[in-house]
Amino acid sequence: MLIQQEKTDLFSLLRPIKQPKIWAYLAWVDTVNQYRRTLLGPLWILLSLIIFVLAVGSVYSGLFSVEYFDYITFMAAGMIAWNWSSAILIGSGTIYSSNAGLILDYPVNKPYLIWSHTMGQMIIFLHQLPLFIIIYLLGGIQVNINMLYIIPSICIIFAINIGVAAALSILVVRYRDLNKILTSLIVVIMIVTPIFWKPEMVTGMRALVYYLNPFYYIVEIIRNPLLGLEPKLFHYVVSSIIALASLLVGAFAHKRYSKYVVFWV
């Protein structure tokens, strides 16, 4: 299914959902290759998160005058959500360029590359969740039914990733400077997204900084279930609208421009 002439209609982006074994296997192989010959393998993802949270938490908990363990738990949940959210922007543009040899040599069914990339990002997300298993075992968070909201949250972000990746993979391979711009912007977006600070800390007109920030809603629907809190329905509604819009834009971009990728890579 991967090596075949693809049908470039409006629904071609969604067809890989019928063959999950293909793109799931490609994502797993790519993840394994990334950590081949490393000592700790994917544990580096978890360790880097733990080190970052402990180090930054020791500073910001003092600045905000909040209890240290509560703060690093809040920030850890936010960082896990942010790592996947930011990867949607800075990783999607490399899908076609990193598979240039395959695209040039074979009639590749490109949506499988997009789904494989998205699945790879979800695998990296899952590698970070053991941190919260440790927190649960330490009694830092009480396990409750609200944590099951993580399942629809993952599905929504997966859909957002598919749509954004479909559009950005074409834009970046055509306009190479765009990836540099996104990499620069991602730091600014992280600062204005409630990850190191809580939304209630900003009031009045300043609250528009996060209310108009789509990453805020993506982070919230992941962070709240991890903390055992019930996510707000409004956050799910906005995130679902973002997912639908991204899928529509991605499907159109793929239908209209994917045939030119072979000339741009």
Side-chain angles (χ1 to χ4, degrees):
M1 297 295 292
L2 176 62
I3 307 300
Q4 67 169 28
Q5 194 66 38
E6 64 178 293
K7 299 177 182 179
T8 53
D9 55 44
L10 198 58
F11 298 99
S12 60
L13 180 63
L14 301 179
R15 286 202 178 93
I17 198 172
K18 299 179 180 179
Q19 299 286 338
K21 290 183 179 180
I22 297 176
W23 45 267
Y25 175 75
L26 291 173
W28 179 255
V29 170
D30 184 60
T31 303
V32 171
N33 288 336
Q34 287 183 40
Y35 296 100
R36 191 180 299 276
R37 296 182 181 178
T38 60
L39 182 62
L40 298 178
L43 284 177
W44 283 116
I45 301 173
L46 179 60
L47 287 176
S48 62
L49 174 65
I50 293 174
I51 294 170
F52 180 87
V53 168
L54 292 177
V56 176
S58 64
V59 175
Y60 278 77
S61 62
L63 290 176
F64 295 140
S65 299
V66 294
E67 201 276 326
Y68 177 68
F69 190 76
D70 290 342
Y71 180 77
I72 63 173
T73 302
F74 170 83
M75 190 179 68
M79 282 303 302
I80 289 175
W82 170 252
N83 287 340
W84 191 359
S85 304
S86 61
I88 295 176
L89 283 185
I90 61 178
S92 298
T94 63
I95 295 175
Y96 292 145
S97 58
S98 60
N99 291 282
L102 186 63
I103 294 172
L104 292 172
D105 293 339
Y106 301 98
V108 177
N109 202 337
K110 300 180 190 68
Y112 282 89
L113 299 178
I114 295 171
W115 282 70
S116 171
H117 167 80
T118 301
M119 185 64 190
Q121 296 300 331
M122 193 177 84
I123 291 173
I124 293 175
F125 166 78
L126 295 176
H127 282 159
Q128 301 172 83
L129 291 185
L131 173 58
F132 269 81
I133 296 177
I134 297 172
I135 294 174
Y136 299 150
L137 293 176
L138 292 175
I141 300 174
Q142 296 300 317
V143 177
N144 57 59
I145 197 171
N146 290 331
M147 294 175 179
L148 293 178
Y149 282 103
I150 195 69
I151 298 174
S153 299
I154 290 174
C155 294
I156 291 173
I157 298 178
F158 192 92
I160 293 173
N161 202 160
I162 292 291
V164 174
L168 281 184
S169 59
I170 291 174
L171 284 172
V172 171
V173 80
R174 179 66 180 88
Y175 305 103
R176 300 301 175 99
D177 288 342
L178 183 57
N179 206 38
K180 303 293 185 183
I181 296 173
L182 291 174
T183 303
S184 300
L185 284 177
I186 208 69
V187 177
V188 178
I189 297 173
M190 181 176 67
I191 293 173
V192 299
T193 302
I195 298 171
F196 304 110
W197 47 276
K198 295 184 177 181
E200 55 267 25
M201 293 179 176
V202 178
T203 58
M205 291 298 294
R206 291 188 180 90
L208 293 176
V209 168
Y210 65 86
Y211 273 128
L212 299 178
N213 180 358
F215 287 92
Y216 163 64
Y217 303 97
I218 297 174
V219 168
E220 283 293 290
I221 64 173
I222 288 290
R223 177 165 56 197
N224 284 340
L226 289 178
L227 296 176
L229 305 174
E230 183 178 358
K232 296 179 181 178
L233 177 61
F234 178 66
H235 294 161
Y236 274 104
V237 171
V238 174
S239 299
S240 298
I241 293 173
I242 294 172
L244 180 59
S246 64
L247 285 173
L248 290 174
V249 172
F252 173 79
H254 179 77
K255 176 182 179 297
R256 180 68 177 82
Y257 299 106
S258 64
K259 59 187 175 182
Y260 301 115
V261 169
V262 69
F263 303 108
W264 295 336
V265 293

